[in-house]
């Protein structure tokens, strides 16, 4: 606790009972009774009725919009029943603080100004508590008590009154340092001392004692309320200190640090403070000046910031420097992306001399998530694949590079497409980001027999053409790679009989034609059959060129692969 400081303890011992403001005995009896576990509703009602003024004030305040219950309460017993012990204690304590603290007894201190600041802290604490699911009424009460120690300090040491304007004008941290400098003791230490002298629960005294020392209190609930009180002090300061730009910025940073509130949420809390202060003042019958609107304060802060900011010439120079840095970063990024494109292009296979397999890949963005590959085995068979990674951009490109590398590396020792996809799937499942997957068709082509052993992992069907006819399609028999480890991927055998197997990514079938309609499988079949007489490379490039000729930008990567005797007869 902060009051364990020996110097502070010595100074607190100088505060005599007659230096302390004293609440009504009836109010304190009611507050203390509320903390007893065995107290009954009848006992609390009887205590409240012992003081006619207290009775009248309780009924008046509990029926105000600020402390109200949504329906009229006409008896003290009903108020006690509806409120509950804790809320009744908080309400009684608010009234006790209002009646006991007399700022008009301090020369040079405007009572309206004091209550205005106190209510700003109290309502800020209440708004924060509501946003965090804490006890809003208790935090309001704590906020009201938060700076009462400052009043007691000037009552006890009136010779320091000349320091009052400087202290009141400072922000919370500077005010705290000034109190330590001028008094050797601070308002939180005195407030905790006052709470204990009044016989308030130790929890309240501890919170008042610790609110400038967040991070040292326990348990978590106490720590959260300490942070609420500390942040409430800064929220209130927005409306009282001169350097509002600094305080607004400090508020936003504190609320982000302690409660993960963004700037918009912080500003919404500040906007709510003036109206809530006026409601609280009316409920407690306190006279305060008309409250300033936060938007006016924000405009004033921005104006002051602009006046104190850099000159126009210096600002222009900084802007030009920033633009140059931006251009340098953009150029560096372009170089890195071009290097990535070169690496991706290097992953594509070189053309086969006999053109038994041809392919084309067109990225929708700088980098592609589609890929294809093929390579010849020592026995003359050709392993090939075409895949499509979910998503686009850098993440998809990296997963594409990993998958195609796995295919080429593992395919040189695993010569069965089904087993190869099983192995690649397990490897991807171990490290892939959740939500990303790869569709793939893998096949092993035997040119001497004119057969293909093929496996499809969640990819659009492969299409078998003979001459100008679509003869067969081979759809997915298993989910994409990277979703379920340990999956089996069935494989089947295809006899080309002089035909051509065409595999595309969904970027081909979903691409727009000149008329704005999606190409679809039907459109793809038409393109392939009408180009049957052309050379293999010309066929795939012609299809891609026709799809790129549309005015609409590509929305997905486009990849197409043709396998087999591209000029076979039907």
């Amino acid at each position: 606790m902060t009051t364990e400081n020996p110097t502070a303890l010595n100074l607190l011992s100088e505060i005599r009972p007659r230096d302390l403001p004293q609440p009504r005995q009836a109010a304190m009896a009611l507050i203390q009774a509320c903390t007893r576990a065995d107290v009954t509703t009848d006992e609390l009602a009887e205590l409240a009725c012992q003081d006619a003024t207290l009775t009248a004030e309780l009924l008046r305040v509990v029926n105000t919009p600020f402390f109200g219950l949504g329906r009229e309460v006409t008896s003290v017993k009903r108020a006690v029943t509806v409120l509950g012990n804790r809320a009744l204690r908080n309400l009684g304590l608010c009234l006790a603080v209002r009646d006991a603290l007399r700022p008009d007894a301090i020369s040079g201190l405007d009572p309206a100004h004091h209550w205005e600041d106190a209510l700003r802290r109290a309502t800020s604490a209440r708004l924060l508590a509501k946003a965090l699911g804490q006890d809003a009424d208790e935090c309001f009460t704590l906020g009201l008590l938060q700076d009462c120690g400052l009043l007691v300090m000037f009552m006890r040491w009136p010779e320091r009154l000349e320091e009052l304007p400087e202290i009141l004008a400072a922000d919370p941290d500077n005010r705290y340092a000034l109190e330590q400098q001028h008094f050797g003791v601070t308002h939180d230490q005195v407030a905790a001392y006052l709470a204990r002298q009044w016989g308030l629960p130790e929890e309240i005294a501890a919170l008042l004692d610790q609110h400038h020392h967040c991070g040292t209190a326990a348990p978590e609930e106490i720590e959260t309320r300490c942070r609420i009180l500390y942040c409430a002090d800064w929220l209130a300061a927005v409306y009282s200190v001169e350097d509002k730009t600094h305080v607004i910025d400090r508020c936003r940073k504190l609320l982000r640090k302690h409660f993960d509130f963004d700037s918009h949420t912080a500003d919404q809390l500040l906007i709510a403070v003036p109206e809530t202060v006026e409601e609280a003042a009316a409920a407690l019958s306190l006279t305060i000046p008309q409250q300033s609107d936060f938007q006016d304060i924000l405009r004033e802060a921005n104006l002051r910031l602009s006046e104190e900011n850099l000159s126009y010439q210096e600002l222009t120079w900084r802007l030009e420097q920033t633009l140059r840095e931006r251009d340098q970063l953009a150029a560096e990024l372009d170089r890195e992306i071009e290097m990535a494109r070169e690496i991706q292009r290097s992953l594509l296979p070189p053309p086969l001399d006999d053109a038994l397999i041809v392919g084309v890949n067109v990225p929708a963005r700088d980098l592609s998530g589609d890929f294809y590959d093929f390579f010849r085995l020592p026995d003359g068979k050709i392993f090939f694949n075409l895949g499509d990674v979910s998503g686009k951009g850098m993440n998809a490109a990296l997963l594409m590079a990993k998958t195609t590398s796995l295919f080429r590396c593992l395919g040189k020792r695993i010569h069965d497409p089904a087993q190869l996809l099983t192995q690649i799937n397990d490897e991807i499942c171990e490290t892939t980001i959740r939500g990303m997957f790869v569709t793939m068709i893998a096949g092993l082509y035997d040119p001497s027999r004119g057969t293909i052993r093929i496996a499809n992992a969640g990819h659009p069907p492969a299409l078998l053409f003979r001459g100008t006819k679509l003869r067969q399609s081979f759809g997915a028999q298993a989910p994409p790679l990277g979703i379920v480890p340990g999956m089996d991927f069935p494989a089947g055998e295809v006899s080309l009989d002089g035909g051509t197997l065409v595999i595309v990514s969904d970027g081909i079938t979903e691409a727009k034609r000149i008329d704005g309609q999606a190409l679809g499988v039907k459109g793809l079949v038409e393109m392939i059959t009408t180009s049957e007489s052309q050379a293999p490379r010309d066929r795939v490039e012609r299809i891609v060129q026709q799809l790129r000729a549309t005015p609409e930008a590509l929305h997905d990567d486009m990849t197409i692969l043709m396998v087999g005797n591209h000029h076979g007869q039907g």
Side-chain angles (χ1 to χ4, degrees):
M1 294 176 63
T2 59
T3 47
E4 290 178 354
N5 181 295
T7 303
L9 287 172
N10 289 336
L11 289 167
L12 289 174
S13 66
E14 295 179 21
I15 302 176
R16 296 157 297 187
R18 65 171 180 266
D19 295 326
L20 298 174
Q22 295 297 327
R24 281 200 191 93
Q25 289 185 352
M28 292 310 300
L30 177 64
I31 293 165
Q32 291 163 2
C34 285
T35 63
R36 286 171 34 213
D38 61 342
V39 71
T40 65
T41 300
D42 289 337
E43 286 179 79
L44 292 175
E46 184 178 349
L47 284 170
C49 290
Q50 288 179 1
D51 186 308
T53 303
L54 176 61
T55 301
E57 277 296 276
L58 277 174
L59 289 176
R60 184 190 67 79
V61 172
V62 83
N63 284 298
T64 60
F66 188 76
F67 287 98
L69 304 174
R71 58 187 180 277
E72 186 176 9
V73 177
T74 57
S75 71
V76 171
K77 185 172 182 179
R78 177 63 177 162
V80 171
T81 302
V82 174
L83 284 170
N85 293 13
R86 197 176 185 91
L88 180 64
R89 183 200 73 183
N90 292 332
L91 183 53
L93 190 51
C94 286
L95 295 174
V97 170
R98 181 201 65 183
D99 295 336
L101 298 178
R102 300 297 303 274
D104 54 343
I106 300 175
S107 175
L109 179 60
D110 181 1
H113 177 81
H114 166 78
W115 287 120
E116 182 182 42
D117 275 352
L119 287 174
R120 283 171 179 160
R121 294 185 188 92
T123 56
S124 295
R126 187 176 195 253
L127 290 166
L128 279 169
K130 281 186 174 181
L132 295 164
Q134 296 286 315
D135 188 331
D137 291 335
E138 177 159 304
C139 288
F140 176 86
T141 306
L142 289 165
L144 204 61
L145 282 165
Q146 193 169 342
D147 260 21
C148 65
L150 190 62
L151 284 181
V152 175
M153 288 158 64
F154 282 109
M155 289 176 182
R156 173 61 186 85
W157 295 287
E159 67 275 12
R160 307 259 166 70
L161 277 171
E162 62 182 12
E163 315 296 347
L164 179 61
E166 182 187 13
I167 290 175
L168 292 180
D171 66 51
D173 287 350
N174 285 326
R175 185 175 72 241
Y176 195 83
L178 288 170
E179 291 171 7
Q180 189 68 51
Q181 175 187 333
H182 294 309
F183 292 91
V185 69
T186 53
H187 70 275
D188 53 347
Q189 297 167 333
V190 177
Y193 180 77
L194 176 63
R196 293 186 177 103
Q197 292 299 312
W198 281 1
L200 298 182
E202 178 57 29
E203 179 182 345
I204 289 179
L207 283 164
L208 294 172
D209 199 22
Q210 290 288 341
H211 71 269
H212 272 275
H213 303 276
C214 300
T216 61
E220 181 61 26
E221 185 179 357
I222 299 293
E223 172 64 18
T224 299
R225 279 180 283 172
C226 279
R227 295 179 191 276
I228 287 173
L229 293 180
Y230 181 65
C231 291
D233 209 358
W234 278 93
L235 289 170
V238 170
Y239 293 89
S240 59
V241 303
E242 184 177 353
D243 186 2
K244 300 185 185 302
T245 303
H246 159 68
V247 177
I248 291 172
D249 182 63
R250 177 70 171 150
C251 279
R252 291 169 176 166
K253 289 179 179 176
L254 284 173
L255 292 176
R256 182 177 293 278
K257 173 185 175 182
H258 291 311
F259 307 121
D260 202 26
F261 287 175
D262 57 24
S263 295
H264 175 73
T265 304
D267 289 356
Q268 291 303 306
L269 287 169
L270 286 165
I271 288 170
V273 168
E275 182 179 357
T276 315
V277 166
E278 291 175 349
E279 291 175 357
L284 294 174
S285 297
L286 293 170
T287 302
I288 61 170
Q290 183 176 356
Q291 296 301 291
S292 300
D293 183 77
F294 175 67
Q295 296 298 342
D296 293 337
I297 288 176
L298 192 59
R299 279 192 291 272
E300 177 187 339
N302 289 336
L303 179 61
R304 178 169 179 172
L305 180 63
S306 65
E307 291 173 349
E308 295 175 351
N309 220 333
L310 300 169
S311 66
Y312 175 78
Q313 292 80 5
E314 187 175 0
L315 185 61
T316 301
W317 175 82
R318 290 198 175 189
L319 178 60
E320 290 172 349
Q321 185 182 37
T322 301
L323 290 173
R324 284 194 298 271
E325 290 173 356
R326 181 205 64 182
D327 292 341
Q328 290 171 358
L329 290 172
E332 183 178 345
L333 181 60
D334 287 342
R335 286 193 297 272
E336 291 180 357
I337 290 176
E338 181 55 37
M339 289 179 63
R341 279 197 292 261
E342 288 181 13
I343 293 171
Q344 275 206 329
R345 286 193 291 268
S346 72
L347 295 174
L348 295 174
L352 295 175
D353 293 336
D354 49 14
L356 290 176
I357 300 180
V358 293
V360 171
N361 168 249
V362 179
R365 298 184 181 178
D366 293 315
L367 300 172
S368 177
D370 285 3
F371 59 94
Y372 71 87
D373 193 11
F374 50 78
F375 56 89
R376 201 182 296 270
L377 297 174
D379 60 3
K381 295 176 183 177
I382 305 172
F383 232 143
F384 66 88
N385 75 23
L386 189 149
D388 185 358
V389 178
S390 62
K392 301 176 183 65
M394 190 63 71
N395 288 345
L398 291 173
L399 184 53
M400 165 264 176
K402 175 179 180 177
T403 307
T404 195
S405 298
L406 285 170
F407 173 83
R408 181 166 280 262
C409 178
L410 297 175
K412 291 179 179 179
R413 61 180 179 84
I414 301 174
H415 297 166
D416 179 70
Q419 294 178 20
L420 179 58
L421 288 185
T422 296
Q423 187 67 43
I424 294 174
N425 176 63
D426 290 343
E427 292 288 339
I428 293 175
C429 284
E430 285 185 10
T431 56
T432 190
I433 299 172
R434 188 172 65 178
M436 295 194 72
F437 56 86
V438 183
T439 67
M440 182 192 285
I441 289 180
L444 184 63
Y445 176 34
D446 185 350
S448 64
R449 296 176 56 233
T451 60
I452 297 175
R453 184 164 176 77
I454 187 171
N456 188 336
H459 200 80
L463 306 176
L464 176 60
F465 291 86
R466 294 193 185 103
T468 59
K469 301 290 186 180
L470 171 63
R471 298 297 185 181
Q472 201 172 352
S473 67
F474 303 92
Q477 299 295 312
L481 308 176
I483 296 179
V484 182
M487 279 293 298
D488 291 328
F489 295 86
E493 188 151 308
V494 180
S495 178
L496 291 181
D497 290 337
T500 301
L501 187 70
V502 178
I503 308 169
V504 299
S505 66
D506 57 9
I508 293 283
T509 53
E510 293 173 4
K512 302 295 185 183
R513 299 184 300 190
I514 295 294
D515 59 7
Q517 300 299 312
L519 178 66
V521 175
K522 183 178 179 180
L524 174 63
V525 170
E526 182 181 343
M527 279 188 168
I528 291 172
T529 56
T530 56
S531 63
E532 192 270 340
S533 62
Q534 295 178 329
R537 171 61 58 180
D538 293 340
R539 293 181 77 185
V540 293
E541 290 184 351
R542 177 175 176 270
I543 291 170
V544 169
Q545 286 171 0
Q546 285 181 330
L547 294 176
R548 295 185 70 181
T550 61
E552 191 168 339
L554 290 181
H555 294 292
D556 199 0
D557 306 326
M558 296 194 303
T559 306
I560 182 169
L561 195 68
M562 287 188 176
V563 182
N565 183 352
H566 309 286
H567 299 292
Q569 300 301 311

